[in-house]
Amino acid sequence: MSECLFCRIVAGEIPSKQVYADDRAYAFLDIEPWQEGHTLVIPRRHVDHALVDEDVLAELAPSVLAVSALLRTRLGATGFNILTNVGADSGQEVFHAHIHVLPRHADSPGIRNIRGAIHRDLDEVYALLTAE
Ligand code: 5GP
Ligand code: ZN
């Protein structure tokens, strides 16, 4: 069994709120969101961070696009922060590559407000994102 938290999430050994997946990437809600709908997009293979090789960002790009479209249509996002931390000095805490996709809205704009107010819990946001 892998000791990597996100490898275990990809394998289904640890539960997660999946919002999108394809053959190379997996996307799920961040457990401590900075914005409602804060999503992590990760490669299915283990790499420590997004700059390990030139393929990682390409593997994640289709999922980032799909997730941003979902956040736009389901949560009304009108902007996004697309962020990846590389290395402990950047603030990276989980050493399996991941891109943070943060939906943004006009009522709380700008990088200074990247940690916004959370009014709806994860279950409620997840229901909005996954309703048929
Ligand atoms: P980092 O600081 O490494 O860029 O971000 C790691 C992110 O993973 C954090 O935003 C944190 O909230 C999230 N996270 C950590 N553990 C879990 C978990 O078990 N499940 C989920 N869904 N997110 C997690
Ligand atoms: Zn891993």
Side-chain angles (χ1 to χ4, degrees):
M1 189 182 287
S2 173
E3 289 179 13
C4 170
L5 173 64
F6 285 179
C7 280
R8 297 187 67 190
I9 283 179
V10 169
E13 294 166 7
I14 291 175
S16 64
K17 289 184 164 51
Q18 176 189 335
V19 297
Y20 184 81
D22 63 24
D23 57 337
R24 295 186 294 178
Y26 183 86
F28 57 103
L29 293 182
D30 194 296
I31 205 165
E32 289 182 31
W34 292 8
Q35 301 283 339
E36 293 178 358
H38 180 171
T39 297
L40 302 176
V41 179
I42 69 177
R44 288 188 179 275
R45 65 178 172 126
H46 181 90
V47 283
D48 286 353
H49 58 71
L51 301 184
V52 162
D53 63 51
E54 66 185 22
D55 294 327
V56 183
L57 290 170
E59 288 169 24
L60 301 180
S63 286
V64 171
L65 273 179
V67 166
S68 63
L70 190 68
L71 296 171
R72 190 181 291 115
T73 56
R74 297 297 180 97
L75 298 182
T78 52
F80 301 93
N81 300 103
I82 307 296
L83 168 73
T84 191
N85 292 325
V86 176
D89 291 345
S90 75
Q92 185 178 2
E93 292 182 348
V94 178
F95 289 86
H96 178 127
H98 52 280
I99 293 180
H100 297 259
V101 182
L102 292 148
R104 302 300 303 275
H105 303 272
D107 61 355
S108 181
I111 197 77
R112 287 183 182 80
N113 294 317
I114 197 166
R115 281 183 189 266
I118 303 293
H119 301 292
R120 295 176 288 200
D121 67 18
L122 275 188
D123 285 334
E124 195 175 343
V125 172
Y126 185 57
L128 289 170
L129 291 172
T130 56
E132 292 298 323

